[in-house]
Amino acid sequence: MPVVHGISFVWALVILGAIIAVYGLRAAWGYRTVAQDARDDYDYKIQNGMSVHGLSKDGYLSVYRRLHNPRAPLYVAATLAAIVLSTPVLFVIISFLLEQLYQFTGRSRVFEPGFLVWQFSIYMLVLAAWAGIGYLGARTFHRRAPGTLSQEIAKEMEAPAGLEA
């Protein structure tokens, strides 16, 4: 029976899959909870004669959800899923490109498959790709962040009836 030292790649993917599932479930639960909170808040404000800033019920619910939804767990799950799903493709692309480099250099022993430069190149290029995917996830998270309450109300008031902003 072979002795395995360290963590295998398959186990790393399983662990990442579990993390993705936890964050995904946390996001789904949070979105569901915020939707219920929005309805309860609107009903409370209407019953007590409080201001809903001149918004219709759908408009108020839309603003409330945009401001209070737990976006972070959703973006973490999506970014990790993108990393996990793209990793096999990255390995194929990087191996192909390194093979082309090896052929282009006249089959130089420096770039020979399996040697140190080959392995280091795969390691660094995969890490760079993962960092790029993480950067894109964070950038998307921040670009799609909601504004202040007054900005979101103004945005909702400008939106055509029946369409969410």
Side-chain angles (χ1 to χ4, degrees):
M1 177 176 235
V3 176
V4 178
H5 298 285
I7 186 169
S8 73
F9 186 69
V10 174
W11 276 109
L13 291 178
V14 168
I15 291 168
L16 277 175
I19 293 170
I20 292 167
V22 167
Y23 274 98
L25 290 172
R26 184 174 164 208
W29 181 263
Y31 273 77
R32 184 175 176 202
T33 303
V34 168
Q36 182 60 44
D37 289 347
R39 288 188 293 275
D40 293 345
D41 190 57
Y42 180 81
D43 293 340
Y44 176 82
K45 286 186 176 185
I46 293 299
Q47 289 171 358
N48 293 309
M50 300 170 78
S51 172
V52 290
H53 309 288
L55 293 170
S56 66
K57 182 175 183 175
D58 289 338
Y60 182 82
L61 297 179
S62 176
V63 168
Y64 189 96
R65 286 191 308 258
R66 275 199 309 268
L67 288 172
H68 298 289
N69 273 336
R71 300 169 46 248
L74 179 66
Y75 279 86
V76 169
T79 302
L80 283 176
I83 287 171
V84 168
L85 294 174
S86 68
T87 297
V89 176
L90 286 171
F91 276 114
V92 169
I93 292 170
I94 291 169
S95 294
F96 174 77
L97 292 175
L98 288 174
E99 179 65 32
Q100 296 309 309
L101 177 64
Y102 174 61
Q103 296 299 331
F104 179 75
T105 59
R107 306 185 116 210
S108 169
R109 297 267 313 175
V110 173
F111 298 107
E112 190 169 340
F115 284 134
L116 187 59
V117 173
W118 181 277
Q119 294 171 3
F120 182 75
S121 298
I122 290 174
Y123 174 76
M124 291 307 292
L125 290 171
V126 167
L127 284 181
W130 287 349
I133 293 169
Y135 165 77
L136 291 175
R139 183 175 146 205
T140 305
F141 174 80
H142 289 290
R143 285 199 175 195
R144 293 185 177 178
T148 63
L149 176 62
S150 58
Q151 290 171 336
E152 292 301 318
I153 290 171
K155 188 176 176 184
E156 189 65 35
M157 303 271 283
E158 292 173 3
L163 296 177
E164 279 195 32

